[in-house]
Amino acid sequence: AQSVTQLGSHVSVSEGALVLLRCNYSSSVPPYLFWYVQYPNQGLQLLLKYTSAATLVKGINGFEAEFKKSETSFHLTKPSAHMSDAAEYFCAVSVVTNAGKSTFGDGTTLTVKP
Amino acid sequence: SQTIHQWPATLVQPVGSPLSLECTVEGTSNPNLYWYRQAAGRGLQLLFYSVGIGQISSEVPQNLSASRPQDRQFILSSKKLLLSDSGFYLCAWGDKGVVAEAFFGQGTRLTVV
């Protein structure tokens, strides 16, 4: 079975500062990894995904993530935070043997201070 | 383009009342369909998934059931709601064949009182 752990349920940064949201995964087979963003009272929206094509993945809104197999990590970063980045972020993992079902982390709430 | 519709957006129901949440997908065929529940301050818990009409798999034992009467329609139901059924319910769809991302509806905030 696969799992993800998001380190830090709450992260606070100043506007313009680096955003780093941490995600570690566990999987016995090659994983597919995703980051989603959720704004209040809305569904989740895909930010980016890793499907083994490239270890550094660029997504929407200036976010990117790097797959590090040796560290079993898939951390999400953005060089400069914007007020509109305040939201909840979820890391998720899927494997081909699991009918496309994703396992989600508990989420990290990002606060951006002016 | 594909779209997913989920309704209602909010719902307040008394304990013991029935529940029916509906989700429909447009612009694709034979998708995988999912129901998730999100409790306050917690991640997403997969409740049900379906790979085809009439094919429902339950991930956790609970007071809820799901049905897929048509290819792009997914319904979440309960005969008698419990207080613990309160939460944010999300419907999602995904493509078959490859591991693909899930596309989510806007969610239903259910409060059982």
Side-chain angles (χ1 to χ4, degrees):
Chain A
Q2 65 271 20
S3 66
V4 291
T5 301
Q6 291 185 239
L7 302 174
S9 58
H10 295 270
V11 171
S12 180
V13 300
S14 298
E15 191 173 19
L18 171 72
V19 175
L20 171 61
L21 305 182
R22 300 177 186 272
C23 172
N24 288 89
Y25 70 90
S26 174
S27 176
S28 57
V29 298
Y32 293 77
L33 295 159
F34 308 86
W35 275 101
Y36 292 86
V37 61
Q38 184 182 32
Y39 299 100
N41 294 312
Q42 294 188 25
L44 279 69
Q45 176 186 6
L46 182 73
L47 277 177
L48 48 81
K49 62 180 178 181
Y50 166 76
T51 56
S52 76
T55 57
L56 182 62
V57 182
K58 295 186 183 298
I60 62 172
N61 300 339
F63 285 94
E64 63 181 36
E66 186 172 8
F67 174 73
K68 293 186 177 181
K69 184 177 180 180
S70 60
E71 299 177 9
T72 62
S73 69
F74 190 58
H75 302 332
L76 181 71
T77 61
K78 181 175 180 177
S80 177
H82 192 273
M83 297 297 290
S84 61
D85 294 328
E88 190 159 21
Y89 292 81
F90 292 92
C91 182
V93 61
S94 291
V95 296
V96 291
T97 55
N98 204 20
K101 296 177 290 181
S102 290
T103 301
F104 286 81
D106 287 340
T108 298
T109 300
L110 175 66
T111 301
V112 182
K113 299 175 292 184
Chain B
S1 64
Q2 302 90 354
T3 57
I4 179 169
H5 303 280
Q6 185 182 343
W7 67 94
T10 60
L11 191 59
V12 179
Q13 291 284 97
V15 169
S17 64
L19 173 73
S20 180
L21 302 181
E22 190 163 343
C23 171
T24 60
V25 180
E26 297 177 357
T28 187
S29 61
N30 196 28
N32 289 337
L33 296 173
Y34 310 92
W35 278 111
Y36 288 90
R37 178 168 58 199
Q38 185 177 17
R42 300 176 66 178
L44 276 70
Q45 179 186 38
L46 180 62
L47 302 177
F48 302 95
Y49 75 94
S50 172
V51 298
I53 296 174
Q55 301 178 63
I56 308 295
S57 295
S58 174
E59 290 293 295
V60 292
Q62 57 207 319
N63 185 42
L64 302 168
S65 61
S67 61
R68 185 171 177 173
Q70 300 180 45
D71 181 46
R72 291 168 291 175
Q73 183 185 26
F74 206 24
I75 298 171
L76 183 68
S77 304
S78 174
K79 292 181 178 179
K80 290 185 178 182
L81 284 168
L82 306 172
L83 286 173
S84 58
D85 292 324
S86 294
F88 192 53
Y89 289 83
L90 290 158
C91 180
W93 73 272
D95 284 322
K96 288 191 174 60
V98 296
V99 175
E101 65 268 31
F103 297 90
F104 286 83
Q106 291 298 293
T108 297
R109 174 76 58 193
L110 172 66
T111 304
V112 182
V113 296

